[in-house]
Amino acid sequence: MSEAVVWLIILAPLAASAAIGLVVRPFFNERREWAAPITIAGVAVSFILSLWALAEVAGQSGALDFTPHEWLSIGPLTVNAGLYLDSLAAIMVVVVGAVSLLVQVYSIGYMRGEPGYARYFALMALFTAAMQGLVLSRNIVQTYVFWELVGVCSYLLIGFWHDRPAAARAAMKAFIVTRIGDLGFLLAIVYLFFHQDAFAARGLNALEIPDIHTAVGLGVLGGAAATWIAIGLFAGAVGKSAQFPLHTWLPDAMEGPTPVSALIHAATMVAAGVFLVARFFPLFEASEAAMHLVALIGGGTAVFAASMAMAAKDIKRVIAYSTMSQLGFMMLALGVGAYAAAIFHLFNHAFFKALLFLAAGSVGQAAGTFNMDFLGGMGRRQRWTTATFLVAALSLAGLFPLAGFWSKDGLLSEALHVGDPVALLVLALGLVATAMTGLYIFRAFLLTFTGSYRGGAAAEEAARRGAAPPPADTQARLGESRLAMLGPMVVLAVLAAVLGLAANPPGGHWFSRFLVPPGGSATEVHFNIGIAVLSVGLGLAGAGAAWAFYGRSVLFAERGNVTPLQRFLHQLLARCYYVDDLYEGVIAGRLFRAGCGVLAWLDRNLVDGLAEMVGWFGRNLGRAVSQLQTGQLQAYGMAMGLGVLVVVIVFLVWG
């Protein structure tokens, strides 16, 4: 496979974006419907070439490492641009291409009639190109460039409806919060830059990803150096993958179009953080402290996000919290060394999570709202949507034999196999999150698809105004989504059902044998029947609890027997543990204003006061000296005489 063909994986969607932005929008705006087929064609080419790349890597023992091209020189250091296609990149480009292609097809129906139709498809194509470039980058600076381009695209797509204040705020919030994490990524690159001499002594380039892997194996990077670089990289991953404490942007990102949410949560932005840790996995392995940090943040976020999903009312927010939780599972696995299990879960998660969002979009477009308080009964009018959502929910809950079962139980079994205290702690957290997963996803299913219809957007608007709800017969106007939307959902449902077993056949775990960490060797993903039974039992227990509480679409608050403790816990979860209040109300509010007040006082009283004192001193010193210039010759003569007398006295006393 030639280098030019691999470049086309990035350039095909990039060319589609450029064609829409530079040709269709300026010159053929009345033909803006051309944007969809152009984007689909570009992404389809990228996906087909990604399959070819996967076959090429699978057919040989090592990575396709092409000769890098000099980009720029900084003193003795050369920054290159190039491609690195190993087993990890081969898996990721297929995931990105497949999910993006299905989302673009779905968008034809979902975005029909939108004024920004061409702009939407141009940005989606650019988003896909940026993620493919991030995955295939050979140089860490090149990775960082595509990393930031992914962030810019997410900002523009989350704020696609920029005339809505909530969407504009959500886009800005996502941009700012992820930039905080990206500072750590940048500092890691700077650290490597200033330690280039140690690399050069071994004939290595400090910014080349394969050379960084080699440096770890040779001991050039180890101890404190490996720890600090790994923590910097992980900070960037925490921001992009919405792990605690940089998680607050992800639920608000639901203000963007639903296909954007599907792409962000399944295959692009949030997956980038997990990919980054996996890409530099040998560096993390060289630092026990970094590995423990990754595992604990991942396990804690898995439980933390799952608990918030249990109280969310917006179905898209429930799925968003689910994404945070599942990414926590992946980080947990990477932190205990389960490299193949983590990427296997990322692979499966991409398809069932995209399906959950697309099914939610189908519901939202029919009912006009995503608020589950005003949904219900959608299963009677949207049978295909209901069936596909149920498949994705079962896979997310990790129930046998769907894809989520194989990957989630695999990573939990790996944690048990490692067996150290940190691994056992995060295993316990993972099991708790598994039970919560069954509860929140079937709560969403029951409130949305079962029971009676509660009025949709009309009832929500009436409740906002305090008016009487509309007649219940509005359900008669509900219907199934267009074929362009249902087709991708059905394909994703099939993949969510069979991919786990396809990658884990009776003959052995093909996925783990193919996905070998850099510098490592192939290892089987351990499967523990006890963990599998326990995990499935916890998932079913969560689903059973959801049925007990919400099977008749009755919320806690409507039962009339809510205790103060239950009310407090519900409020705590609904307000997301008040972390947003802490960030926006205290840190970005009071503390920021107080800090600005202190700086303003220092500016007025110290900086301005010092400048004014210097000016006053100059003015008054000149005035004092000017008093000596009287114009009287006798005064000048007396001063000269006194001066001579002083000189003579000094000479006589001190010689």
Side-chain angles (χ1 to χ4, degrees):
M1 190 175 194
S2 68
E3 181 182 3
V5 173
V6 182
W7 275 112
L8 279 176
I9 297 175
I10 306 170
L11 295 178
L14 182 62
S17 177
I20 297 168
L22 301 178
V23 179
V24 174
R25 290 192 70 200
F27 304 110
F28 300 97
N29 194 43
E30 70 281 359
R31 299 290 186 182
R32 58 180 179 270
E33 67 273 8
W34 292 355
I38 292 173
T39 297
I40 290 171
V43 174
V45 169
S46 179
F47 173 58
I48 292 169
L49 295 178
S50 298
L51 292 174
W52 184 7
L54 177 63
E56 285 287 320
V57 174
Q60 62 179 39
S61 57
L64 297 178
D65 189 8
F66 302 100
T67 303
H69 308 279
E70 184 175 334
W71 184 7
L72 54 94
S73 295
I74 305 173
L77 185 68
T78 299
V79 181
N80 297 317
L83 299 172
Y84 186 62
L85 183 62
D86 63 348
S87 56
L88 174 62
I91 290 292
M92 288 299 299
V93 291
V94 170
V95 170
V96 175
V99 173
S100 181
L101 179 59
L102 292 169
V103 168
Q104 309 310 327
V105 174
Y106 176 94
S107 298
I108 296 175
Y110 191 87
M111 298 300 292
R112 180 178 297 178
E114 282 291 337
Y117 191 79
R119 173 167 57 92
Y120 167 85
F121 279 100
L123 290 173
M124 290 289 270
L126 181 62
F127 203 7
T128 302
M131 188 62 192
Q132 297 287 43
L134 168 63
V135 168
L136 292 168
S137 292
R138 190 183 193 277
N139 186 283
I140 192 171
V141 176
Q142 182 184 351
T143 302
Y144 186 76
V145 170
F146 282 113
W147 179 273
E148 293 300 330
L149 184 57
V150 166
V152 170
C153 291
S154 67
Y155 165 77
L156 295 172
L157 285 166
I158 293 169
F160 177 77
W161 290 308
H162 51 80
D163 54 335
R164 301 179 183 177
R169 285 195 302 270
M172 185 61 69
K173 184 176 183 179
F175 191 79
I176 292 173
V177 173
T178 55
R179 292 294 77 69
I180 295 172
D182 292 352
L183 176 61
F185 190 177
L186 181 60
L187 291 176
I189 296 174
V190 172
Y191 191 101
L192 288 168
F193 174 78
F194 283 109
H195 288 76
Q196 56 184 296
D197 292 341
F199 283 78
R202 300 293 185 95
L204 303 173
N205 187 314
L207 302 180
E208 294 290 311
I209 293 174
D211 287 358
I212 294 172
H213 295 159
T214 303
V216 173
L218 295 175
V220 176
L221 287 178
T227 298
W228 285 114
I229 297 171
I231 289 175
L233 294 170
F234 184 57
V238 165
K240 278 287 193 291
S241 291
Q243 299 294 281
F244 180 85
L246 300 180
H247 64 281
T248 56
W249 67 269
L250 192 60
D252 291 348
M254 299 304 97
E255 294 294 338
T258 299
V260 172
S261 302
L263 194 57
I264 287 177
H265 287 250
T268 52
M269 185 161 171
V270 297
V274 176
F275 169 80
L276 186 70
V277 176
R279 170 55 78 210
F280 293 95
F281 187 70
L283 183 65
F284 282 84
E285 275 194 312
S287 170
E288 184 180 24
M291 291 289 280
H292 287 170
L293 178 64
V294 173
L296 292 172
I297 291 291
T301 304
V303 175
F304 179 72
S307 65
M308 292 185 288
M310 294 191 298
K313 293 183 177 181
D314 187 301
I315 187 172
K316 286 178 64 177
R317 281 181 173 263
V318 172
I319 304 171
Y321 287 125
S322 169
T323 299
M324 292 166 52
S325 181
Q326 295 304 303
L327 292 169
F329 275 100
M330 300 169 206
M331 291 295 189
L332 177 162
L334 289 170
V336 299
Y339 176 84
I343 303 306
F344 186 33
H345 195 53
L346 174 64
F347 178 75
N348 288 333
H349 173 265
F351 298 103
F352 64 68
K353 186 50 57 68
L355 176 54
L356 285 172
F357 272 109
L358 298 188
S362 176
V363 170
Q365 194 171 72
T369 181
F370 295 101
N371 191 331
M372 294 185 294
D373 284 352
F374 303 99
L375 293 174
M378 299 300 293
R380 300 172 186 172
R381 306 298 295 183
Q382 292 191 308
R383 298 187 184 281
W384 283 98
T385 298
T386 304
T388 55
F389 188 97
L390 181 59
V391 169
L394 292 169
S395 187
L396 171 65
L399 300 184
F400 181 84
L402 284 83
F405 164 80
W406 299 101
S407 54
K408 183 183 289 185
D409 291 337
L411 63 88
L412 293 175
S413 297
E414 285 289 298
L416 179 65
H417 178 74
V418 172
D420 63 38
V422 172
L424 294 177
L425 173 59
V426 297
L427 170 61
L429 292 173
L431 291 172
V432 172
T434 297
M436 290 181 171
T437 302
L439 174 56
Y440 70 68
I441 196 59
F442 282 100
R443 166 182 176 264
F445 177 81
L446 292 168
L447 291 178
T448 303
F449 296 101
T450 65
S452 57
Y453 183 60
R454 294 187 288 276
E460 185 178 24
E461 181 60 27
R464 187 179 295 114
R465 297 195 314 266
D473 61 1
T474 53
Q475 185 178 2
R477 295 193 292 271
L478 298 178
E480 189 58 271
S481 296
R482 301 180 179 95
L483 182 60
M485 297 169 64
L486 288 178
M489 290 162 56
V490 171
V491 173
L492 287 169
V494 173
L495 294 175
V498 305
L499 276 181
L501 188 58
N504 188 26
H509 204 297
W510 170 85
F511 200 95
S512 63
R513 291 200 299 270
F514 171 71
L515 195 65
V516 180
S521 57
T523 57
E524 287 288 333
V525 172
H526 297 90
F527 184 80
N528 186 294
I529 187 63
I531 289 291
V533 172
L534 178 60
S535 175
V536 171
L538 290 172
L540 289 173
W547 173 257
F549 292 132
Y550 304 100
R552 296 183 179 179
S553 301
V554 178
L555 299 176
F556 280 115
E558 296 172 342
R559 289 183 177 271
N561 57 351
V562 180
T563 66
L565 178 60
Q566 288 174 327
R567 187 176 294 109
F568 168 76
L569 290 175
H570 185 273
Q571 181 72 3
L572 183 67
L573 297 179
R575 295 295 295 272
C576 306
Y577 295 93
Y578 296 93
V579 175
D580 267 315
D581 299 82
L582 173 65
Y583 289 169
E584 298 180 19
V586 179
I587 296 177
R590 296 175 185 176
L591 292 181
F592 183 75
R593 286 194 297 270
C596 290
V598 171
L599 293 176
W601 184 90
L602 292 173
D603 183 61
R604 288 193 305 269
N605 295 278
L606 186 62
V607 178
D608 291 352
L610 181 62
E612 291 175 2
M613 185 180 69
V614 171
W616 177 90
F617 182 77
R619 290 193 306 271
N620 290 280
L621 179 63
R623 187 175 297 113
V625 173
S626 69
Q627 300 302 316
L628 301 176
Q629 305 301 319
T630 63
Q632 298 178 1
L633 293 178
Q634 63 271 27
Y636 297 160
M638 183 182 295
M640 292 173 63
L642 289 173
V644 171
L645 181 60
V646 170
V647 171
V648 171
I649 292 173
V650 170
F651 179 76
L652 291 175
V653 174
W654 286 286

